[in-house]
mmCIF file of all heavy atoms in Angstrom:
data_model
loop_
_atom_site.group_PDB
_atom_site.id
_atom_site.type_symbol
_atom_site.label_atom_id
_atom_site.label_comp_id
_atom_site.label_asym_id
_atom_site.label_seq_id
_atom_site.Cartn_x
_atom_site.Cartn_y
_atom_site.Cartn_z
ATOM 1 N N GLY M 99 33.627 -40.332 -6.614
ATOM 2 C CA GLY M 99 33.689 -41.237 -5.472
ATOM 3 C C GLY M 99 34.711 -40.825 -4.436
ATOM 4 O O GLY M 99 35.139 -41.644 -3.609
ATOM 5 N N VAL M 100 35.123 -39.539 -4.466
ATOM 6 C CA VAL M 100 36.088 -39.015 -3.483
ATOM 7 C C VAL M 100 35.303 -38.322 -2.376
ATOM 8 O O VAL M 100 34.540 -37.390 -2.634
ATOM 9 C CB VAL M 100 37.063 -38.011 -4.149
ATOM 10 C CG1 VAL M 100 38.000 -37.417 -3.106
ATOM 11 C CG2 VAL M 100 37.854 -38.688 -5.259
ATOM 12 N N GLU M 101 35.492 -38.775 -1.142
ATOM 13 C CA GLU M 101 34.699 -38.241 -0.029
ATOM 14 C C GLU M 101 35.466 -37.265 0.855
ATOM 15 O O GLU M 101 34.864 -36.378 1.474
ATOM 16 C CB GLU M 101 34.170 -39.393 0.834
ATOM 17 C CG GLU M 101 33.205 -40.311 0.077
ATOM 18 C CD GLU M 101 32.690 -41.439 0.942
ATOM 19 O OE1 GLU M 101 33.170 -41.576 2.092
ATOM 20 O OE2 GLU M 101 31.815 -42.190 0.472
ATOM 21 N N ASN M 102 36.794 -37.394 0.940
ATOM 22 C CA ASN M 102 37.557 -36.582 1.892
ATOM 23 C C ASN M 102 38.093 -35.297 1.250
ATOM 24 O O ASN M 102 39.198 -34.860 1.523
ATOM 25 C CB ASN M 102 38.717 -37.401 2.466
ATOM 26 C CG ASN M 102 39.657 -37.938 1.389
ATOM 27 O OD1 ASN M 102 39.249 -38.118 0.247
ATOM 28 N ND2 ASN M 102 40.910 -38.191 1.755
ATOM 29 N N PHE M 103 37.271 -34.688 0.390
ATOM 30 C CA PHE M 103 37.694 -33.449 -0.261
ATOM 31 C C PHE M 103 37.532 -32.255 0.692
ATOM 32 O O PHE M 103 36.823 -32.350 1.699
ATOM 33 C CB PHE M 103 36.899 -33.225 -1.553
ATOM 34 C CG PHE M 103 35.391 -33.181 -1.384
ATOM 35 C CD1 PHE M 103 34.750 -31.987 -1.070
ATOM 36 C CD2 PHE M 103 34.616 -34.323 -1.564
ATOM 37 C CE1 PHE M 103 33.367 -31.930 -0.927
ATOM 38 C CE2 PHE M 103 33.229 -34.276 -1.422
ATOM 39 C CZ PHE M 103 32.603 -33.076 -1.098
ATOM 40 N N PRO M 104 38.178 -31.124 0.414
ATOM 41 C CA PRO M 104 38.093 -29.948 1.301
ATOM 42 C C PRO M 104 36.646 -29.512 1.531
ATOM 43 O O PRO M 104 35.830 -29.526 0.593
ATOM 44 C CB PRO M 104 38.894 -28.885 0.547
ATOM 45 C CG PRO M 104 39.900 -29.673 -0.239
ATOM 46 C CD PRO M 104 39.151 -30.910 -0.678
ATOM 47 N N GLN M 105 36.341 -29.127 2.764
ATOM 48 C CA GLN M 105 34.954 -28.968 3.193
ATOM 49 C C GLN M 105 34.547 -27.531 3.513
ATOM 50 O O GLN M 105 33.756 -27.297 4.429
ATOM 51 C CB GLN M 105 34.700 -29.864 4.408
ATOM 52 C CG GLN M 105 34.797 -31.353 4.119
ATOM 53 C CD GLN M 105 33.649 -31.865 3.265
ATOM 54 O OE1 GLN M 105 32.490 -31.642 3.572
ATOM 55 N NE2 GLN M 105 33.980 -32.540 2.168
ATOM 56 N N ASP M 106 35.058 -26.567 2.792
ATOM 57 C CA ASP M 106 34.587 -25.191 2.964
ATOM 58 C C ASP M 106 33.067 -25.160 2.814
ATOM 59 O O ASP M 106 32.510 -25.742 1.878
ATOM 60 C CB ASP M 106 35.244 -24.290 1.911
ATOM 61 C CG ASP M 106 34.741 -22.864 1.948
ATOM 62 O OD1 ASP M 106 33.721 -22.568 1.295
ATOM 63 O OD2 ASP M 106 35.367 -22.039 2.627
ATOM 64 N N GLU M 107 32.396 -24.473 3.721
ATOM 65 C CA GLU M 107 30.926 -24.495 3.758
ATOM 66 C C GLU M 107 30.313 -24.025 2.439
ATOM 67 O O GLU M 107 29.405 -24.663 1.897
ATOM 68 C CB GLU M 107 30.436 -23.597 4.898
ATOM 69 C CG GLU M 107 28.924 -23.523 4.996
ATOM 70 C CD GLU M 107 28.438 -22.392 5.884
ATOM 71 O OE1 GLU M 107 29.284 -21.725 6.520
ATOM 72 O OE2 GLU M 107 27.212 -22.177 5.930
ATOM 73 N N ALA M 108 30.795 -22.903 1.912
ATOM 74 C CA ALA M 108 30.223 -22.365 0.670
ATOM 75 C C ALA M 108 30.516 -23.295 -0.506
ATOM 76 O O ALA M 108 29.675 -23.481 -1.389
ATOM 77 C CB ALA M 108 30.775 -20.970 0.389
ATOM 78 N N PHE M 109 31.702 -23.894 -0.508
ATOM 79 C CA PHE M 109 32.082 -24.809 -1.585
ATOM 80 C C PHE M 109 31.165 -26.027 -1.604
ATOM 81 O O PHE M 109 30.662 -26.436 -2.659
ATOM 82 C CB PHE M 109 33.538 -25.244 -1.397
ATOM 83 C CG PHE M 109 33.990 -26.319 -2.339
ATOM 84 C CD1 PHE M 109 34.125 -26.066 -3.690
ATOM 85 C CD2 PHE M 109 34.286 -27.596 -1.865
ATOM 86 C CE1 PHE M 109 34.545 -27.067 -4.565
ATOM 87 C CE2 PHE M 109 34.708 -28.597 -2.736
ATOM 88 C CZ PHE M 109 34.838 -28.325 -4.091
ATOM 89 N N VAL M 110 30.910 -26.611 -0.431
ATOM 90 C CA VAL M 110 30.044 -27.787 -0.336
ATOM 91 C C VAL M 110 28.622 -27.420 -0.768
ATOM 92 O O VAL M 110 27.931 -28.188 -1.441
ATOM 93 C CB VAL M 110 30.059 -28.354 1.096
ATOM 94 C CG1 VAL M 110 29.029 -29.467 1.254
ATOM 95 C CG2 VAL M 110 31.457 -28.868 1.447
ATOM 96 N N ARG M 111 28.190 -26.233 -0.399
ATOM 97 C CA ARG M 111 26.851 -25.745 -0.751
ATOM 98 C C ARG M 111 26.741 -25.508 -2.259
ATOM 99 O O ARG M 111 25.759 -25.873 -2.890
ATOM 100 C CB ARG M 111 26.601 -24.442 0.007
ATOM 101 C CG ARG M 111 25.233 -23.858 -0.183
ATOM 102 C CD ARG M 111 25.069 -22.426 0.354
ATOM 103 N NE ARG M 111 26.016 -22.015 1.349
ATOM 104 C CZ ARG M 111 26.769 -20.920 1.229
ATOM 105 N NH1 ARG M 111 26.730 -20.201 0.128
ATOM 106 N NH2 ARG M 111 27.584 -20.577 2.195
ATOM 107 N N GLY M 112 27.771 -24.891 -2.846
ATOM 108 C CA GLY M 112 27.797 -24.624 -4.279
ATOM 109 C C GLY M 112 27.129 -23.317 -4.649
ATOM 110 O O GLY M 112 26.240 -22.826 -3.941
ATOM 111 N N MET M 113 27.547 -22.738 -5.769
ATOM 112 C CA MET M 113 26.989 -21.464 -6.206
ATOM 113 C C MET M 113 25.545 -21.601 -6.671
ATOM 114 O O MET M 113 24.779 -20.646 -6.647
ATOM 115 C CB MET M 113 27.853 -20.871 -7.328
ATOM 116 C CG MET M 113 27.601 -19.393 -7.585
ATOM 117 S SD MET M 113 28.534 -18.751 -9.002
ATOM 118 C CE MET M 113 30.207 -18.847 -8.390
ATOM 119 N N ALA M 114 25.170 -22.814 -7.094
ATOM 120 C CA ALA M 114 23.817 -23.017 -7.623
ATOM 121 C C ALA M 114 22.754 -23.149 -6.530
ATOM 122 O O ALA M 114 21.557 -23.068 -6.820
ATOM 123 C CB ALA M 114 23.785 -24.267 -8.501
ATOM 124 N N ALA M 115 23.173 -23.340 -5.281
ATOM 125 C CA ALA M 115 22.220 -23.577 -4.192
ATOM 126 C C ALA M 115 21.345 -22.342 -3.962
ATOM 127 O O ALA M 115 21.823 -21.209 -4.049
ATOM 128 C CB ALA M 115 22.966 -23.924 -2.915
ATOM 129 N N PRO M 116 20.063 -22.537 -3.658
ATOM 130 C CA PRO M 116 19.175 -21.400 -3.374
ATOM 131 C C PRO M 116 19.722 -20.495 -2.264
ATOM 132 O O PRO M 116 19.580 -19.275 -2.336
ATOM 133 C CB PRO M 116 17.862 -22.084 -2.947
ATOM 134 C CG PRO M 116 17.887 -23.411 -3.637
ATOM 135 C CD PRO M 116 19.330 -23.824 -3.645
ATOM 136 N N GLU M 117 20.346 -21.104 -1.256
ATOM 137 C CA GLU M 117 20.904 -20.305 -0.153
ATOM 138 C C GLU M 117 21.989 -19.356 -0.664
ATOM 139 O O GLU M 117 22.074 -18.193 -0.247
ATOM 140 C CB GLU M 117 21.483 -21.237 0.919
ATOM 141 C CG GLU M 117 22.059 -20.500 2.114
ATOM 142 C CD GLU M 117 22.730 -21.436 3.109
ATOM 143 O OE1 GLU M 117 22.451 -22.659 3.069
ATOM 144 O OE2 GLU M 117 23.546 -20.947 3.918
ATOM 145 N N THR M 118 22.823 -19.848 -1.582
ATOM 146 C CA THR M 118 23.872 -19.003 -2.157
ATOM 147 C C THR M 118 23.258 -17.893 -2.991
ATOM 148 O O THR M 118 23.685 -16.737 -2.923
ATOM 149 C CB THR M 118 24.827 -19.836 -3.036
ATOM 150 O OG1 THR M 118 25.336 -20.927 -2.268
ATOM 151 C CG2 THR M 118 25.970 -18.988 -3.545
ATOM 152 N N ARG M 119 22.262 -18.223 -3.792
ATOM 153 C CA ARG M 119 21.621 -17.218 -4.643
ATOM 154 C C ARG M 119 21.003 -16.109 -3.805
ATOM 155 O O ARG M 119 21.137 -14.919 -4.134
ATOM 156 C CB ARG M 119 20.540 -17.884 -5.514
ATOM 157 C CG ARG M 119 19.984 -16.951 -6.566
ATOM 158 C CD ARG M 119 19.114 -17.691 -7.568
ATOM 159 N NE ARG M 119 17.759 -17.883 -7.088
ATOM 160 C CZ ARG M 119 16.805 -16.953 -7.130
ATOM 161 N NH1 ARG M 119 17.078 -15.748 -7.583
ATOM 162 N NH2 ARG M 119 15.598 -17.221 -6.701
ATOM 163 N N ARG M 120 20.356 -16.479 -2.688
ATOM 164 C CA ARG M 120 19.774 -15.462 -1.806
ATOM 165 C C ARG M 120 20.864 -14.610 -1.167
ATOM 166 O O ARG M 120 20.734 -13.384 -1.060
ATOM 167 C CB ARG M 120 18.917 -16.128 -0.724
ATOM 168 C CG ARG M 120 17.599 -16.693 -1.240
ATOM 169 C CD ARG M 120 16.685 -17.080 -0.091
ATOM 170 N NE ARG M 120 17.248 -18.152 0.730
ATOM 171 C CZ ARG M 120 17.042 -19.449 0.503
ATOM 172 N NH1 ARG M 120 16.297 -19.830 -0.525
ATOM 173 N NH2 ARG M 120 17.573 -20.357 1.295
ATOM 174 N N LYS M 121 21.923 -15.258 -0.749
ATOM 175 C CA LYS M 121 23.006 -14.540 -0.077
ATOM 176 C C LYS M 121 23.658 -13.508 -0.989
ATOM 177 O O LYS M 121 23.987 -12.397 -0.564
ATOM 178 C CB LYS M 121 24.056 -15.548 0.417
ATOM 179 C CG LYS M 121 25.176 -14.938 1.238
ATOM 180 C CD LYS M 121 26.090 -16.025 1.798
ATOM 181 C CE LYS M 121 27.147 -15.435 2.711
ATOM 182 N NZ LYS M 121 28.023 -16.481 3.299
ATOM 183 N N LEU M 122 23.854 -13.870 -2.252
ATOM 184 C CA LEU M 122 24.567 -13.012 -3.190
ATOM 185 C C LEU M 122 23.651 -12.148 -4.045
ATOM 186 O O LEU M 122 24.128 -11.348 -4.844
ATOM 187 C CB LEU M 122 25.438 -13.872 -4.122
ATOM 188 C CG LEU M 122 26.468 -14.787 -3.452
ATOM 189 C CD1 LEU M 122 27.219 -15.581 -4.513
ATOM 190 C CD2 LEU M 122 27.442 -13.989 -2.598
ATOM 191 N N ASN M 123 22.332 -12.326 -3.880
ATOM 192 C CA ASN M 123 21.370 -11.620 -4.724
ATOM 193 C C ASN M 123 21.533 -11.983 -6.196
ATOM 194 O O ASN M 123 21.276 -11.158 -7.086
ATOM 195 C CB ASN M 123 21.483 -10.100 -4.559
ATOM 196 C CG ASN M 123 20.384 -9.521 -3.688
ATOM 197 O OD1 ASN M 123 19.264 -10.016 -3.694
ATOM 198 N ND2 ASN M 123 20.720 -8.500 -2.929
ATOM 199 N N ASP M 124 21.997 -13.195 -6.472
ATOM 200 C CA ASP M 124 22.195 -13.630 -7.855
ATOM 201 C C ASP M 124 20.845 -13.795 -8.550
ATOM 202 O O ASP M 124 19.838 -14.114 -7.906
ATOM 203 C CB ASP M 124 22.945 -14.969 -7.897
ATOM 204 C CG ASP M 124 24.442 -14.815 -7.680
ATOM 205 O OD1 ASP M 124 24.938 -13.668 -7.706
ATOM 206 O OD2 ASP M 124 25.126 -15.844 -7.489
ATOM 207 N N PRO M 125 20.817 -13.623 -9.874
ATOM 208 C CA PRO M 125 19.573 -13.860 -10.613
ATOM 209 C C PRO M 125 19.239 -15.345 -10.628
ATOM 210 O O PRO M 125 20.095 -16.183 -10.341
ATOM 211 C CB PRO M 125 19.905 -13.346 -12.015
ATOM 212 C CG PRO M 125 21.393 -13.431 -12.119
ATOM 213 C CD PRO M 125 21.914 -13.184 -10.739
ATOM 214 N N PRO M 126 18.003 -15.696 -10.975
ATOM 215 C CA PRO M 126 17.616 -17.112 -11.027
ATOM 216 C C PRO M 126 18.503 -17.887 -12.001
ATOM 217 O O PRO M 126 18.893 -17.376 -13.051
ATOM 218 C CB PRO M 126 16.169 -17.072 -11.530
ATOM 219 C CG PRO M 126 15.686 -15.695 -11.201
ATOM 220 C CD PRO M 126 16.874 -14.805 -11.298
ATOM 221 N N ARG M 127 18.785 -19.117 -11.655
ATOM 222 C CA ARG M 127 19.643 -19.953 -12.502
ATOM 223 C C ARG M 127 19.028 -20.157 -13.893
ATOM 224 O O ARG M 127 19.751 -20.332 -14.877
ATOM 225 C CB ARG M 127 19.882 -21.302 -11.825
ATOM 226 C CG ARG M 127 21.049 -22.107 -12.411
ATOM 227 C CD ARG M 127 21.313 -23.356 -11.589
ATOM 228 N NE ARG M 127 22.432 -24.140 -12.104
ATOM 229 C CZ ARG M 127 23.700 -23.938 -11.788
ATOM 230 N NH1 ARG M 127 24.024 -22.932 -10.975
ATOM 231 N NH2 ARG M 127 24.668 -24.694 -12.286
ATOM 232 N N SER M 128 17.712 -20.075 -13.974
ATOM 233 C CA SER M 128 17.045 -20.262 -15.265
ATOM 234 C C SER M 128 17.392 -19.154 -16.251
ATOM 235 O O SER M 128 17.202 -19.318 -17.462
ATOM 236 C CB SER M 128 15.527 -20.328 -15.068
ATOM 237 O OG SER M 128 15.052 -19.148 -14.429
ATOM 238 N N THR M 129 17.902 -18.022 -15.755
ATOM 239 C CA THR M 129 18.279 -16.917 -16.647
ATOM 240 C C THR M 129 19.730 -17.048 -17.129
ATOM 241 O O THR M 129 20.171 -16.247 -17.960
ATOM 242 C CB THR M 129 18.131 -15.556 -15.944
ATOM 243 O OG1 THR M 129 19.076 -15.465 -14.858
ATOM 244 C CG2 THR M 129 16.727 -15.370 -15.390
ATOM 245 N N PHE M 130 20.454 -18.023 -16.592
ATOM 246 C CA PHE M 130 21.857 -18.213 -16.995
ATOM 247 C C PHE M 130 21.926 -18.716 -18.434
ATOM 248 O O PHE M 130 20.947 -19.215 -18.988
ATOM 249 C CB PHE M 130 22.544 -19.236 -16.083
ATOM 250 C CG PHE M 130 22.839 -18.743 -14.693
ATOM 251 C CD1 PHE M 130 22.505 -17.467 -14.284
ATOM 252 C CD2 PHE M 130 23.472 -19.573 -13.771
ATOM 253 C CE1 PHE M 130 22.778 -17.014 -12.995
ATOM 254 C CE2 PHE M 130 23.752 -19.141 -12.490
ATOM 255 C CZ PHE M 130 23.402 -17.863 -12.105
ATOM 256 N N ASP M 131 23.110 -18.624 -19.014
ATOM 257 C CA ASP M 131 23.340 -19.228 -20.319
ATOM 258 C C ASP M 131 23.081 -20.737 -20.215
ATOM 259 O O ASP M 131 23.283 -21.338 -19.145
ATOM 260 C CB ASP M 131 24.768 -18.961 -20.779
ATOM 261 C CG ASP M 131 24.977 -17.500 -21.182
ATOM 262 O OD1 ASP M 131 23.982 -16.754 -21.279
ATOM 263 O OD2 ASP M 131 26.142 -17.105 -21.386
ATOM 264 N N PRO M 132 22.641 -21.376 -21.303
ATOM 265 C CA PRO M 132 22.200 -22.788 -21.244
ATOM 266 C C PRO M 132 23.202 -23.747 -20.606
ATOM 267 O O PRO M 132 22.807 -24.681 -19.898
ATOM 268 C CB PRO M 132 21.968 -23.128 -22.717
ATOM 269 C CG PRO M 132 21.612 -21.821 -23.350
ATOM 270 C CD PRO M 132 22.443 -20.789 -22.643
ATOM 271 N N GLY M 133 24.502 -23.559 -20.836
ATOM 272 C CA GLY M 133 25.486 -24.498 -20.311
ATOM 273 C C GLY M 133 25.582 -24.548 -18.797
ATOM 274 O O GLY M 133 26.231 -25.439 -18.245
ATOM 275 N N TYR M 134 24.917 -23.603 -18.118
ATOM 276 C CA TYR M 134 25.009 -23.535 -16.649
ATOM 277 C C TYR M 134 23.734 -24.013 -15.967
ATOM 278 O O TYR M 134 23.590 -23.872 -14.754
ATOM 279 C CB TYR M 134 25.305 -22.100 -16.217
ATOM 280 C CG TYR M 134 26.632 -21.581 -16.725
ATOM 281 C CD1 TYR M 134 26.723 -20.939 -17.951
ATOM 282 C CD2 TYR M 134 27.792 -21.740 -15.975
ATOM 283 C CE1 TYR M 134 27.939 -20.458 -18.430
ATOM 284 C CE2 TYR M 134 29.007 -21.264 -16.443
ATOM 285 C CZ TYR M 134 29.077 -20.624 -17.663
ATOM 286 O OH TYR M 134 30.284 -20.159 -18.133
ATOM 287 N N HIS M 135 22.793 -24.566 -16.723
ATOM 288 C CA HIS M 135 21.532 -25.000 -16.121
ATOM 289 C C HIS M 135 21.675 -26.334 -15.395
ATOM 290 O O HIS M 135 20.950 -26.602 -14.446
ATOM 291 C CB HIS M 135 20.443 -25.102 -17.195
ATOM 292 C CG HIS M 135 20.022 -23.769 -17.745
ATOM 293 N ND1 HIS M 135 19.069 -23.627 -18.729
ATOM 294 C CD2 HIS M 135 20.434 -22.513 -17.456
ATOM 295 C CE1 HIS M 135 18.909 -22.347 -19.015
ATOM 296 N NE2 HIS M 135 19.730 -21.653 -18.262
ATOM 297 N N GLY M 136 22.611 -27.163 -15.836
ATOM 298 C CA GLY M 136 22.791 -28.472 -15.219
ATOM 299 C C GLY M 136 23.878 -28.451 -14.154
ATOM 300 O O GLY M 136 24.424 -27.402 -13.803
ATOM 301 N N GLU M 137 24.174 -29.635 -13.635
ATOM 302 C CA GLU M 137 25.180 -29.764 -12.579
ATOM 303 C C GLU M 137 26.578 -29.786 -13.194
ATOM 304 O O GLU M 137 26.899 -30.655 -13.996
ATOM 305 C CB GLU M 137 24.928 -31.047 -11.792
ATOM 306 C CG GLU M 137 25.790 -31.183 -10.546
ATOM 307 C CD GLU M 137 25.376 -32.367 -9.701
ATOM 308 O OE1 GLU M 137 25.740 -33.497 -10.048
ATOM 309 O OE2 GLU M 137 24.673 -32.168 -8.685
ATOM 310 N N VAL M 138 27.398 -28.822 -12.817
ATOM 311 C CA VAL M 138 28.770 -28.735 -13.309
ATOM 312 C C VAL M 138 29.680 -29.529 -12.374
ATOM 313 O O VAL M 138 29.577 -29.415 -11.152
ATOM 314 C CB VAL M 138 29.238 -27.260 -13.374
ATOM 315 C CG1 VAL M 138 30.684 -27.169 -13.857
ATOM 316 C CG2 VAL M 138 28.322 -26.441 -14.275
ATOM 317 N N HIS M 139 30.578 -30.335 -12.946
ATOM 318 C CA HIS M 139 31.478 -31.156 -12.136
ATOM 319 C C HIS M 139 32.925 -30.678 -12.154
ATOM 320 O O HIS M 139 33.665 -30.924 -11.198
ATOM 321 C CB HIS M 139 31.430 -32.613 -12.607
ATOM 322 C CG HIS M 139 30.161 -33.305 -12.260
ATOM 323 N ND1 HIS M 139 29.707 -34.437 -12.924
ATOM 324 C CD2 HIS M 139 29.225 -33.019 -11.324
ATOM 325 C CE1 HIS M 139 28.552 -34.811 -12.386
ATOM 326 N NE2 HIS M 139 28.237 -33.974 -11.424
ATOM 327 N N ALA M 140 33.332 -30.007 -13.227
ATOM 328 C CA ALA M 140 34.736 -29.600 -13.318
ATOM 329 C C ALA M 140 34.897 -28.451 -14.295
ATOM 330 O O ALA M 140 34.024 -28.192 -15.138
ATOM 331 C CB ALA M 140 35.612 -30.786 -13.760
ATOM 332 N N VAL M 141 36.026 -27.772 -14.167
ATOM 333 C CA VAL M 141 36.444 -26.785 -15.157
ATOM 334 C C VAL M 141 37.888 -27.103 -15.537
ATOM 335 O O VAL M 141 38.701 -27.457 -14.674
ATOM 336 C CB VAL M 141 36.318 -25.337 -14.636
ATOM 337 C CG1 VAL M 141 37.253 -25.070 -13.456
ATOM 338 C CG2 VAL M 141 36.583 -24.324 -15.746
ATOM 339 N N VAL M 142 38.175 -27.030 -16.832
ATOM 340 C CA VAL M 142 39.554 -27.124 -17.309
ATOM 341 C C VAL M 142 39.870 -25.806 -18.000
ATOM 342 O O VAL M 142 39.169 -25.409 -18.946
ATOM 343 C CB VAL M 142 39.761 -28.301 -18.285
ATOM 344 C CG1 VAL M 142 41.193 -28.303 -18.812
ATOM 345 C CG2 VAL M 142 39.458 -29.626 -17.593
ATOM 346 N N LEU M 143 40.881 -25.113 -17.504
ATOM 347 C CA LEU M 143 41.305 -23.836 -18.067
ATOM 348 C C LEU M 143 42.556 -24.044 -18.903
ATOM 349 O O LEU M 143 43.489 -24.724 -18.469
ATOM 350 C CB LEU M 143 41.618 -22.826 -16.955
ATOM 351 C CG LEU M 143 40.496 -22.518 -15.963
ATOM 352 C CD1 LEU M 143 41.027 -21.617 -14.857
ATOM 353 C CD2 LEU M 143 39.319 -21.864 -16.658
#
Side-chain angles (χ1 to χ4, degrees):
V100 177
E101 296 180 354
N102 57 335
F103 57 87
Q105 295 290 308
D106 176 273
E107 178 194 354
F109 173 68
V110 173
R111 184 191 339 125
M113 196 185 292
E117 181 185 341
T118 306
R119 189 170 83 81
R120 287 191 297 270
K121 185 174 185 178
L122 303 179
N123 257 327
D124 281 349
R127 196 174 181 86
S128 58
T129 66
F130 287 0
D131 288 350
Y134 297 90
H135 291 179
E137 188 172 79
V138 179
H139 288 159
V141 64
V142 177
L143 303 174

